[in-house]
Amino acid sequence: MTLKNYLQSGYEFTEKEYELKSKFILMNSMFSMGLLLIAILAIFLFLDGKVFFAISTCIYICVNAFMIYLLRLSKNAYKYIVPIVSLSGIILVITALTIYPDEPIRIAWFLNVVILAFFLGGSLLGVIATVLSIIAVVAFGYFAHTTMNEYDILLAAVIIFIGGLFVDQYEKRSKKAREILLGINQDLKQKIEEETNKRTEQFKKNNQKIFEGAQKLKKQKAVFEHLAHHDTLTGLPNRVLFRDRLEHAIDIAKRDSTKLTVLFMDLDHFKEINDSLGHQLGDEVLQITAERLQKVLRGSDSIARLGGDEFTVLIEDINKGTEIETIAQKLIQAVKESITVQNHKLYLTASIGISIYPHDGEDAETLLKNADAAMYSAKQNGRNTYHYFAKEMTDRALKRVMIESSIRRALDKGEFVLYYQPQINSKTGRLNGLEALIRWNHPDMGVVLPSEFIPLAEATDLIIPLGEWVLYTAAAQAVAWHQNGQEPGRISINLSVKQLRHKSIVPMIQNILRETKCKPNWLELEITESYTMQNPNQSIKLLKRIRNIGLSLALDDFGTGYSSLSYLKRLPIAKLKIDKSFIDDIPGSKEDEAIVHTIISIAKSMALDVVAEGVETDEQKMLLQQAGCSNIQGYLYERPMPVDEMTRVLTEYDKRNDLSYVID
């Protein structure tokens, strides 16, 4: 470390000062080692009695020491020290040759000076030193008294020249190599900088992408969280979010000893809109309804769509029952306003069930269940109204759940049976046909009527296998009666909308006729208005395919739906059935009487048979006869009865005098 500091004199050199550093170290080394060697030589000269030479050597030592001193002052001092050293070297050689002319070998020192000039001063100083050395050699050879001849002088000059030329080429090659190396270093440095900049830029871009990705993920997370807690169709909170809000509201009500209310709302007959006009239109109706419901609620109230056409409302911190009733009435009124969608003007109603915390339940599940039970009670009692929860409603709701879960098991275990109700000509008393009506012999609940399980079967798609069973059983029974010599007339079987929309309805009918060996003209299929209006053109094509099989078609519940006479005349039907709802209030209701007369007139004008359902009194029969309808179905003549009893009744009709059966 000390030697290094001594040679470099403590200076710090940058990477670009590599050449300066090399020269500086070389000069320090040269002067330092020269001083040491010449100082030893001066001592020996002085001891040998050569005082003059000893003094001269000491002078040279002082000059070298001064040079070192100059180098210590500045690392750039070499720029003027090198020429001085080179020129003084030439002078010293000339002096030595002059003093010792008999030692021409000292001419070789010129070559050392030339080499030193090239290495330390560069090409220019080296060329000057070479030229001066050659001039000095030639002058010395010709003017000094030496033993050198012309050949020796020329040889010495040539050697100095060639030596200088060689050193110059070596220096140029070394310098070129250094330049190439510096160029390579510069290129490498530039490439490193470019690559660094490129990677830095890429890193920034990657960071930006990561940041944008994080922002995108954050937005997606927000979207997913919204989707997880909101209904995609209406944008309302869904069941999960509503339940969370309800549980939170219950905690607050429990802490503050306040009450809250849950309203469970269901749109009446909404399924008919979906079945008759399509789900897309139904979705638009739900969106419009959701917007209306939101507008009539207060900012503190929460509304949610649980699914389908079911909505729930949470009302917190209620004080009086009148507040609840006011809100319920507003909701019902909002639904009642007409809705125009795709050129269809629709009228809806809603049924609402109400449960109150803590009286009707102290947890979210119980409050929702009891509000649902109250809503079902409102539907059972006329719809378009609201009902508060009462304990007996829970029993009915439980029964409904039991029915829904038991339908498939009932099919497997043969718990369903068919009852038959005659259709009678009221003028002649003759039997025109039968209607097959399904009943359920439940092992625990006894006989369950269709009104209790058919809607549930349709909601769960179990209506497809159930309807197939009804058709098969009725066809097989028709064959059995005819084989027994009895003539029941055409047996009417109801087909639901979902059955008719099922892609295998026609092959299913054909398979049943083939398997039971039932003749097509022994059966009649009853369809609803809602199906015919769902897609009239497609419905007409399907009904014509069924009629071409040989089955007769009847339009059931005529007048209760959305029938258009322009489509009615195109339907391949043979019979209209007047719905029981128009029969119940006649005579007495002028509106219903007018509707009945109109239906009968339409049937006659279109050459269709007409049957009145639900006839129970002689007054109803007389009014129908006067209007032109003789075909009667109802308790006035016969109630629906099981197969054995119906077989006995058919036998009694066979025994009557002059009895004939009319098979259309």
Side-chain angles (χ1 to χ4, degrees):
M1 187 68 182
T2 303
L3 179 60
K4 179 179 179 183
N5 289 335
Y6 174 73
L7 295 178
Q8 296 186 8
S9 302
Y11 291 122
E12 294 293 334
F13 296 90
T14 63
E15 292 182 1
K16 294 181 179 180
E17 295 177 323
Y18 175 78
E19 187 174 357
L20 174 61
K21 179 181 179 181
S22 300
K23 291 179 179 180
F24 199 88
I25 294 174
L26 179 60
M27 291 179 68
N28 265 281
S29 302
M30 181 184 69
F31 287 137
S32 301
M33 296 303 294
L35 279 175
L36 181 61
L37 293 174
I38 293 172
I40 295 172
L41 177 61
I43 295 171
F44 281 107
L45 288 172
F46 186 78
L47 294 175
D48 196 31
K50 298 178 180 180
V51 177
F52 173 76
F53 292 111
I55 294 171
S56 300
T57 303
C58 289
I59 293 172
Y60 182 76
I61 291 172
C62 290
V63 171
N64 277 346
F66 181 70
M67 296 298 178
I68 292 175
Y69 170 73
L70 292 177
L71 286 176
R72 293 294 188 271
L73 290 178
S74 173
K75 61 184 178 182
N76 291 316
Y78 82 96
K79 292 180 180 179
Y80 52 83
I81 293 176
V82 170
I84 294 173
V85 171
S86 300
L87 293 176
S88 62
I90 293 173
I91 293 172
L92 287 173
V93 174
I94 293 173
T95 303
L97 288 173
T98 302
I99 297 172
Y100 301 103
D102 295 331
E103 297 182 17
I105 192 64
R106 296 179 187 273
I107 291 174
W109 290 1
F110 282 114
L111 188 57
N112 292 333
V113 173
V114 169
I115 293 172
L116 183 65
F118 273 110
F119 271 116
L120 297 179
S123 296
L124 180 60
L125 183 61
V127 170
I128 293 173
T130 302
V131 171
L132 291 176
S133 297
I134 292 173
I135 292 173
V137 168
V138 172
F140 176 76
Y142 281 101
F143 297 106
H145 299 288
T146 63
T147 57
M148 295 177 62
N149 56 31
E150 293 181 355
Y151 173 78
D152 294 332
I153 295 171
L154 181 62
L155 180 61
V158 170
I159 291 174
I160 293 172
F161 175 76
I162 293 174
L165 184 63
F166 177 79
V167 174
D168 180 55
Q169 292 300 315
Y170 179 82
E171 266 294 285
K172 287 181 179 179
R173 184 179 68 85
S174 177
K175 184 176 181 180
K176 187 176 182 180
R178 287 196 301 271
E179 289 176 352
I180 293 173
L181 182 60
L182 287 173
I184 293 173
N185 286 341
Q186 188 65 28
D187 290 342
L188 182 60
K189 183 178 180 181
Q190 185 176 353
K191 288 181 180 179
I192 291 173
E193 288 180 356
E194 290 176 356
E195 185 66 22
T196 302
N197 292 335
K198 182 179 178 181
R199 297 202 176 192
T200 302
E201 191 65 27
Q202 187 64 38
F203 180 73
K204 290 179 179 178
K205 289 181 180 179
N206 290 340
N207 277 351
Q208 183 64 26
K209 288 181 179 179
I210 292 172
F211 177 75
E212 291 174 356
Q215 292 296 109
K216 188 176 180 181
L217 286 174
K218 188 176 180 180
K219 291 179 180 178
Q220 288 178 343
K221 182 181 178 182
V223 171
F224 290 148
E225 286 181 354
H226 184 272
L227 291 176
H229 294 90
H230 290 81
D231 174 49
T232 55
L233 179 64
T234 63
L236 294 177
N238 59 13
R239 182 186 297 271
V240 174
L241 182 55
F242 183 82
R243 191 182 183 92
D244 287 344
R245 290 181 177 178
L246 178 55
E247 290 175 348
H248 181 65
I250 290 172
D251 291 339
I252 295 175
K254 187 180 297 184
R255 182 194 65 195
D256 299 340
S257 299
T258 56
K259 296 181 180 180
L260 61 84
T261 298
V262 174
L263 279 66
F264 198 109
M265 184 174 71
D266 185 90
L267 303 182
D268 300 326
H269 301 298
F270 179 77
K271 183 177 178 299
E272 294 180 5
I273 294 177
N274 271 343
D275 291 341
S276 60
L277 302 177
H279 287 277
Q280 183 177 357
L281 186 142
D283 287 346
E284 292 185 40
V285 171
L286 288 173
Q287 289 173 333
I288 295 172
T289 302
E291 290 177 4
R292 290 182 178 180
L293 296 176
Q294 283 181 289
K295 289 180 181 179
V296 301
L297 290 173
R298 304 171 302 179
S300 59
D301 301 330
S302 296
I303 182 171
R305 180 183 176 225
L306 300 191
D309 58 338
E310 293 180 341
F311 297 87
T312 51
V313 177
L314 169 62
I315 305 172
E316 298 184 60
D317 196 16
I318 56 168
N319 297 316
K320 296 180 293 185
T322 53
E323 293 181 18
I324 303 172
E325 294 171 6
T326 300
I327 294 174
Q329 288 288 4
K330 285 182 178 180
L331 293 173
I332 291 173
Q333 188 60 39
V335 174
K336 283 178 67 176
E337 296 177 10
S338 64
I339 297 176
T340 302
V341 179
Q342 299 179 13
N343 297 324
H344 293 278
K345 193 170 186 178
L346 306 174
Y347 294 89
L348 294 175
T349 59
S351 299
I352 298 177
I354 303 171
S355 63
I356 301 174
Y357 171 88
H359 182 266
D360 300 326
E362 296 185 359
D363 58 81
E365 183 177 356
T366 303
L367 288 170
L368 283 169
K369 181 185 69 175
N370 291 342
D372 184 21
M375 180 275 296
Y376 187 72
S377 175
K379 282 188 176 293
Q380 293 292 96
N381 289 273
R383 306 176 190 269
N384 192 31
T385 186
Y386 60 87
H387 274 194
Y388 285 94
F389 172 74
K391 188 177 183 304
E392 58 269 17
M393 296 177 183
T394 308
D395 300 331
R396 290 199 299 267
L398 181 60
K399 181 179 180 181
R400 181 160 56 96
V401 174
M402 289 177 59
I403 290 173
E404 185 175 345
S405 62
S406 301
I407 293 176
R408 188 178 297 277
R409 176 186 56 79
L411 269 172
D412 296 336
K413 293 191 174 183
E415 295 176 4
F416 291 105
V417 295
L418 286 186
Y419 278 43
Y420 298 88
Q421 187 174 31
Q423 297 172 352
I424 306 297
N425 187 312
S426 61
K427 290 184 177 180
T428 65
R430 291 179 300 185
L431 185 144
N432 290 340
L434 307 174
E435 181 177 4
L437 301 168
I438 190 171
R439 298 290 186 270
W440 183 2
N441 288 327
H442 196 282
D444 300 320
M445 295 184 288
V447 177
V448 182
L449 296 177
S451 60
E452 295 188 62
F453 66 85
I454 289 297
L456 298 175
E458 289 182 341
T460 57
D461 287 340
L462 286 171
I463 194 67
I464 304 299
L466 186 60
E468 184 176 356
W469 177 87
V470 170
L471 184 59
Y472 184 93
T473 304
Q477 187 58 52
V479 172
W481 276 328
H482 281 87
Q483 288 177 347
N484 196 35
Q486 295 173 310
E487 295 290 338
R490 279 197 175 94
I491 299 179
S492 296
I493 301 132
N494 289 281
L495 290 184
S496 72
V497 172
K498 280 196 174 180
Q499 284 180 276
L500 289 164
R501 289 172 60 187
H502 200 270
K503 59 183 179 180
S504 63
I505 179 66
V506 173
M508 184 266 288
I509 294 173
Q510 292 172 328
N511 289 338
I512 288 175
L513 294 175
R514 184 169 53 253
E515 290 178 11
T516 60
K517 295 181 173 53
C518 178
K519 294 181 179 180
N521 63 337
W522 290 351
L523 301 178
E524 180 179 73
L525 301 182
E526 296 184 9
I527 60 173
T528 61
E529 285 184 84
S530 61
Y531 169 72
T532 62
M533 291 305 297
Q534 176 185 347
N535 190 331
N537 294 327
Q538 185 176 345
S539 301
I540 291 169
K541 289 181 182 179
L542 175 61
L543 295 177
K544 284 182 177 179
R545 290 178 64 193
I546 295 175
R547 185 194 60 183
N548 292 338
I549 296 174
L551 280 75
S552 179
L553 295 171
L555 191 60
D556 192 18
D557 300 339
F558 182 71
T560 61
Y562 310 95
S563 284
S564 168
L565 294 179
S566 62
Y567 286 113
L568 180 62
K569 68 181 182 180
R570 294 171 55 194
L571 293 174
I573 59 174
K575 182 186 294 182
L576 292 181
K577 298 191 74 174
I578 305 174
D579 189 64
K580 183 180 182 298
S581 61
F582 300 127
I583 304 298
D584 289 341
D585 294 331
I586 64 170
S589 172
K590 297 299 181 182
E591 292 179 354
D592 286 345
E593 288 180 17
I595 292 173
V596 169
H597 278 83
T598 301
I599 294 174
I600 295 172
S601 297
I602 292 173
K604 285 185 176 181
S605 67
M606 299 180 69
L608 301 175
D609 289 337
V610 60
V611 176
E613 295 181 305
V615 179
E616 297 181 358
T617 66
D618 288 326
E619 290 80 4
Q620 291 171 341
K621 181 185 74 171
M622 293 300 296
L623 189 148
L624 289 167
Q625 285 178 344
Q626 292 170 5
C629 176
S630 301
N631 291 330
I632 302 296
Q633 179 180 339
Y635 278 29
L636 179 63
Y637 285 99
E638 301 287 354
R639 59 179 177 80
M641 58 194 79
V643 172
D644 293 343
E645 191 172 346
M646 190 70 246
T647 301
R648 180 182 57 78
V649 171
L650 287 176
T651 302
E652 291 178 0
Y653 272 94
D654 288 339
K655 292 179 180 179
R656 295 181 184 181
N657 295 329
D658 300 325
L659 179 65
S660 63
Y661 300 106
V662 179
I663 303 178
D664 300 328

